[in-house]
Amino acid sequence: AQTVTQSQPEMSVQEAETVTLSCTYDTSESDYYLFWYKQPPSRQMILVIRQEAYKQQNATENRFSVNFQKAAKSFSLKISDSQLGDAAMYFCAYSIGGFEKLTFGTGTRLTIIP
Amino acid sequence: DTGVSQDPRHKITKRGQNVTFRCDPISEHNRLYWYRQTLGQGPEFLTYFQNEAQLEKSRLLSDRFSAERPKGSFSTLEIQRTEQGDSAMYLCASSPGQLSYEQYFGPGTRLTVT
Protein backbone atom coordinates (compact mmCIF):
# COMPACT_ATOMS: atom_id res chain seq x y z
CA ALA A 1 0.00 0.00 0.00
CA GLN A 2 1.09 3.53 -0.68
CA THR A 3 1.97 5.67 2.32
CA VAL A 4 2.83 9.32 2.75
CA THR A 5 4.82 10.57 5.72
CA GLN A 6 5.17 14.12 6.97
CA SER A 7 7.58 14.14 9.89
CA GLN A 8 7.10 17.79 10.88
CA PRO A 9 3.80 18.28 12.72
CA GLU A 10 4.50 22.00 13.13
CA MET A 11 6.79 24.55 11.55
CA SER A 12 7.16 28.28 11.95
CA VAL A 13 8.90 30.91 9.88
CA GLN A 14 9.43 34.64 10.02
CA GLU A 15 7.50 36.66 7.50
CA ALA A 16 9.48 37.15 4.27
CA GLU A 17 11.77 34.22 5.07
CA THR A 18 11.95 30.82 3.37
CA VAL A 19 10.69 27.55 4.82
CA THR A 20 10.85 23.95 3.62
CA LEU A 21 8.26 21.31 4.49
CA SER A 22 9.28 17.67 4.19
CA CYS A 23 7.42 14.70 2.76
CA THR A 24 8.42 11.15 1.99
CA TYR A 25 6.31 8.48 0.34
CA ASP A 26 6.42 4.80 -0.39
CA THR A 27 5.18 3.22 -3.58
CA SER A 28 6.05 0.48 -6.03
CA GLU A 29 4.29 2.25 -8.88
CA SER A 30 6.17 3.97 -11.69
CA ASP A 31 3.42 6.34 -12.83
CA TYR A 32 2.20 8.57 -10.04
CA TYR A 33 1.60 12.15 -9.07
CA LEU A 34 2.50 14.13 -5.99
CA PHE A 35 0.68 17.14 -4.63
CA TRP A 36 0.86 19.73 -1.90
CA TYR A 37 -2.51 20.92 -0.65
CA LYS A 38 -3.09 23.84 1.71
CA GLN A 39 -5.92 23.92 4.26
CA PRO A 40 -6.28 27.37 5.86
CA PRO A 41 -8.10 27.55 9.21
CA SER A 42 -11.81 26.91 8.70
CA ARG A 43 -11.44 27.15 4.94
CA GLN A 44 -11.42 24.77 2.02
CA MET A 45 -8.44 22.75 0.96
CA ILE A 46 -6.77 24.08 -2.17
CA LEU A 47 -4.05 22.76 -4.43
CA VAL A 48 -0.68 24.49 -4.09
CA ILE A 49 1.48 22.57 -6.52
CA ARG A 50 1.75 19.20 -8.24
CA GLN A 51 4.54 17.08 -9.66
CA GLU A 52 4.32 14.29 -12.21
CA ALA A 53 6.74 11.48 -11.35
CA TYR A 54 7.89 11.11 -14.95
CA LYS A 55 9.11 14.71 -15.04
CA GLN A 56 12.63 15.33 -13.85
CA GLN A 57 12.18 19.08 -13.61
CA ASN A 58 10.93 20.31 -10.26
CA ALA A 59 7.58 22.10 -10.36
CA THR A 60 7.37 25.78 -9.50
CA GLU A 61 4.35 28.00 -8.88
CA ASN A 62 5.32 31.58 -8.04
CA ARG A 63 6.73 31.50 -4.49
CA PHE A 64 6.18 27.75 -4.15
CA SER A 65 8.58 25.15 -5.47
CA VAL A 66 9.28 21.50 -4.84
CA ASN A 67 12.40 19.38 -4.52
CA PHE A 68 11.44 16.03 -6.00
CA GLN A 69 13.95 13.25 -5.36
CA LYS A 70 12.45 10.20 -7.03
CA ALA A 71 15.08 7.67 -5.97
CA ALA A 72 14.84 8.81 -2.37
CA LYS A 73 11.03 9.05 -2.59
CA SER A 74 11.18 12.55 -1.19
CA PHE A 75 8.98 15.51 -2.12
CA SER A 76 9.60 18.69 -0.16
CA LEU A 77 7.84 22.05 -0.52
CA LYS A 78 9.76 25.30 -0.37
CA ILE A 79 7.89 28.51 0.32
CA SER A 80 9.87 31.66 -0.43
CA ASP A 81 9.11 35.14 0.87
CA SER A 82 6.60 33.75 3.37
CA GLN A 83 3.44 35.79 3.82
CA LEU A 84 0.87 35.88 6.62
CA GLY A 85 -1.65 34.29 4.26
CA ASP A 86 0.54 31.21 3.97
CA ALA A 87 -0.41 30.17 7.50
CA ALA A 88 -2.27 26.87 7.16
CA MET A 89 -2.06 23.11 7.39
CA TYR A 90 -0.09 21.73 4.48
CA PHE A 91 -0.74 18.21 3.29
CA CYS A 92 1.44 16.18 1.00
CA ALA A 93 -0.58 13.78 -1.15
CA TYR A 94 0.00 11.00 -3.64
CA SER A 95 -2.10 9.65 -6.48
CA ILE A 96 -1.63 6.86 -8.98
CA GLY A 97 -2.27 8.13 -12.45
CA GLY A 98 -3.38 11.58 -11.38
CA PHE A 99 -7.15 11.07 -11.44
CA GLU A 100 -7.36 8.45 -8.77
CA LYS A 101 -7.90 8.83 -5.03
CA LEU A 102 -5.48 10.92 -3.03
CA THR A 103 -3.47 9.42 -0.19
CA PHE A 104 -2.57 12.16 2.28
CA GLY A 105 0.09 12.60 4.90
CA THR A 106 -0.77 13.76 8.41
CA GLY A 107 0.01 17.38 7.63
CA THR A 108 2.32 20.14 8.80
CA ARG A 109 0.91 23.17 10.55
CA LEU A 110 2.77 26.25 9.31
CA THR A 111 2.80 29.41 11.43
CA ILE A 112 4.03 32.71 10.04
CA ILE A 113 5.62 35.02 12.58
CA PRO A 114 5.10 38.72 11.77
CA ASP B 1 -18.68 28.49 -11.12
CA THR B 2 -19.62 28.52 -7.45
CA GLY B 3 -17.31 25.77 -6.27
CA VAL B 4 -18.09 22.53 -4.49
CA SER B 5 -20.85 22.89 -1.92
CA GLN B 6 -21.78 20.57 0.93
CA ASP B 7 -24.85 20.41 3.07
CA PRO B 8 -25.23 20.54 5.99
CA ARG B 9 -22.07 22.19 7.25
CA HIS B 10 -22.57 20.80 10.73
CA LYS B 11 -24.57 17.86 12.01
CA ILE B 12 -25.03 16.70 15.57
CA THR B 13 -26.74 13.38 16.00
CA LYS B 14 -27.26 10.77 18.65
CA ARG B 15 -25.63 7.39 18.44
CA GLY B 16 -27.72 4.97 16.47
CA GLN B 17 -29.37 7.57 14.25
CA ASN B 18 -28.98 7.73 10.48
CA VAL B 19 -27.52 10.78 8.76
CA THR B 20 -27.23 11.84 5.14
CA PHE B 21 -24.87 14.38 3.65
CA ARG B 22 -25.08 16.01 0.26
CA CYS B 23 -22.35 17.21 -2.07
CA ASP B 24 -22.85 19.35 -5.17
CA PRO B 25 -19.76 19.26 -7.37
CA ILE B 26 -18.61 21.92 -9.77
CA SER B 27 -20.75 21.77 -12.88
CA GLU B 28 -19.51 19.29 -15.49
CA HIS B 29 -16.95 17.71 -13.18
CA ASN B 30 -17.34 14.02 -13.86
CA ARG B 31 -15.33 12.75 -10.90
CA LEU B 32 -16.52 13.08 -7.33
CA TYR B 33 -14.66 11.94 -4.22
CA TRP B 34 -15.53 11.52 -0.56
CA TYR B 35 -12.93 11.72 2.19
CA ARG B 36 -13.08 11.64 5.98
CA GLN B 37 -10.81 13.76 8.15
CA THR B 38 -10.42 13.32 11.88
CA LEU B 39 -8.74 15.83 14.15
CA GLY B 40 -5.00 16.06 13.56
CA GLN B 41 -5.05 13.72 10.61
CA GLY B 42 -4.99 14.05 6.87
CA PRO B 43 -8.11 13.20 4.88
CA GLU B 44 -8.72 9.50 4.28
CA PHE B 45 -10.30 8.28 1.08
CA LEU B 46 -13.77 6.76 1.32
CA THR B 47 -15.11 6.38 -2.21
CA TYR B 48 -15.27 7.98 -5.61
CA PHE B 49 -17.49 8.19 -8.66
CA GLN B 50 -17.00 8.77 -12.30
CA ASN B 51 -20.31 10.14 -13.47
CA GLU B 52 -22.88 7.86 -11.79
CA ALA B 53 -20.57 4.85 -11.48
CA GLN B 54 -18.98 4.17 -8.11
CA LEU B 55 -15.48 3.09 -9.08
CA GLU B 56 -13.82 2.38 -5.76
CA LYS B 57 -14.72 2.02 -2.10
CA SER B 58 -12.27 2.05 0.75
CA ARG B 59 -12.17 -0.72 3.33
CA LEU B 60 -12.92 2.10 5.76
CA LEU B 61 -16.39 2.24 4.26
CA SER B 62 -18.23 -0.32 6.34
CA ASP B 63 -21.64 -1.63 5.36
CA ARG B 64 -23.17 1.16 7.45
CA PHE B 65 -21.93 3.64 4.85
CA SER B 66 -23.47 4.05 1.43
CA ALA B 67 -22.90 6.62 -1.27
CA GLU B 68 -24.79 7.43 -4.42
CA ARG B 69 -24.48 9.79 -7.32
CA PRO B 70 -27.71 9.57 -9.30
CA LYS B 71 -27.50 10.92 -12.83
CA GLY B 72 -23.87 11.84 -12.29
CA SER B 73 -24.67 15.12 -10.62
CA PHE B 74 -24.85 15.62 -6.85
CA SER B 75 -23.87 12.87 -4.45
CA THR B 76 -25.13 11.71 -1.09
CA LEU B 77 -23.29 9.89 1.67
CA GLU B 78 -25.44 8.08 4.21
CA ILE B 79 -24.30 6.66 7.51
CA GLN B 80 -26.67 4.26 9.21
CA ARG B 81 -26.66 3.48 12.94
CA THR B 82 -24.04 6.13 13.67
CA GLU B 83 -21.31 5.44 16.20
CA GLN B 84 -19.13 7.86 18.14
CA GLY B 85 -16.18 6.83 16.00
CA ASP B 86 -17.99 8.28 13.00
CA SER B 87 -17.45 11.80 14.36
CA ALA B 88 -15.27 13.54 11.79
CA MET B 89 -15.22 16.07 8.97
CA TYR B 90 -16.57 14.59 5.76
CA LEU B 91 -15.03 16.21 2.71
CA CYS B 92 -16.26 16.10 -0.85
CA ALA B 93 -14.11 16.94 -3.86
CA SER B 94 -14.70 17.02 -7.59
CA SER B 95 -12.46 16.92 -10.60
CA PRO B 96 -13.01 17.49 -14.29
CA GLY B 97 -11.01 14.33 -14.99
CA GLN B 98 -9.46 15.02 -18.33
CA LEU B 99 -6.94 17.84 -18.63
CA SER B 100 -6.69 18.43 -14.89
CA TYR B 101 -5.47 16.39 -11.99
CA GLU B 102 -6.64 18.91 -9.44
CA GLN B 103 -9.34 17.97 -6.98
CA TYR B 104 -11.50 20.87 -5.83
CA PHE B 105 -12.66 20.47 -2.26
CA GLY B 106 -15.83 21.58 -0.58
CA PRO B 107 -16.02 23.11 2.91
CA GLY B 108 -16.91 19.78 4.50
CA THR B 109 -19.64 18.53 6.80
CA ARG B 110 -18.63 18.21 10.43
CA LEU B 111 -20.41 15.30 12.09
CA THR B 112 -20.61 14.97 15.85
CA VAL B 113 -22.12 11.79 17.26
CA THR B 114 -23.13 12.06 20.92
Side-chain angles (χ1 to χ4, degrees):
Chain A
Q2 293 79 24
T3 58
V4 178
T5 302
Q6 294 180 251
S7 59
Q8 305 156 316
E10 296 185 359
M11 292 282 285
S12 61
V13 62
Q14 292 280 147
E15 194 176 1
E17 296 296 309
T18 295
V19 65
T20 299
L21 308 184
S22 301
C23 173
T24 58
Y25 60 94
D26 188 24
T27 183
S28 57
E29 302 289 335
S30 58
D31 178 23
Y32 56 88
Y33 295 75
L34 298 164
F35 306 84
W36 280 97
Y37 276 85
K38 170 185 177 181
Q39 189 175 39
S42 303
R43 294 185 62 186
Q44 281 145 265
M45 194 171 308
I46 58 173
L47 178 67
V48 174
I49 197 167
R50 79 159 191 261
Q51 175 79 42
E52 294 88 338
Y54 64 84
K55 290 187 177 179
Q56 292 185 336
Q57 187 172 6
N58 289 323
T60 299
E61 288 286 345
N62 301 314
R63 297 183 296 108
F64 299 87
S65 61
V66 299
N67 184 4
F68 173 49
Q69 301 290 325
K70 191 172 184 178
K73 295 182 181 175
S74 171
F75 182 62
S76 61
L77 174 69
K78 185 172 82 172
I79 306 174
S80 303
D81 185 26
S82 298
Q83 301 176 359
L84 293 177
D86 295 333
M89 282 291 289
Y90 285 80
F91 292 98
C92 179
Y94 162 101
S95 172
I96 299 172
F99 300 121
E100 307 300 319
K101 65 187 179 187
L102 291 168
T103 299
F104 287 89
T106 51
T108 296
R109 182 177 301 282
L110 178 64
T111 301
I112 310 297
I113 303 167
Chain B
D1 184 352
T2 57
V4 178
S5 61
Q6 293 187 244
D7 184 68
R9 295 291 303 277
H10 299 91
K11 179 71 176 178
I12 300 173
T13 191
K14 293 186 177 180
R15 188 176 53 188
Q17 298 295 305
N18 298 343
V19 294
T20 299
F21 309 141
R22 176 178 170 126
C23 170
D24 286 90
I26 294 172
S27 178
E28 299 184 357
H29 278 196
N30 60 18
R31 292 215 168 196
L32 186 148
Y33 310 79
W34 285 100
Y35 296 87
R36 180 172 67 187
Q37 185 176 21
T38 53
L39 201 61
Q41 298 296 316
E44 295 175 297
F45 169 77
L46 293 178
T47 188
Y48 86 93
F49 295 83
Q50 178 162 308
N51 299 314
E52 65 274 12
Q54 189 173 20
L55 295 188
E56 185 175 350
K57 291 173 58 175
S58 166
R59 287 173 294 175
L60 291 174
L61 216 63
S62 74
D63 56 6
R64 296 185 299 105
F65 288 71
S66 63
E68 294 182 339
R69 192 183 183 197
K71 302 179 183 179
S73 55
F74 70 92
S75 176
T76 58
L77 178 68
E78 180 183 17
I79 309 174
Q80 297 183 328
R81 305 181 302 281
T82 52
E83 303 172 355
Q84 287 190 319
D86 297 330
S87 294
M89 177 76 83
Y90 290 83
L91 298 171
C92 176
S94 70
S95 171
Q98 295 301 321
L99 303 179
S100 173
Y101 303 121
E102 180 173 356
Q103 292 186 21
Y104 295 78
F105 283 80
T109 294
R110 182 168 297 283
L111 173 66
T112 302
V113 181
T114 61

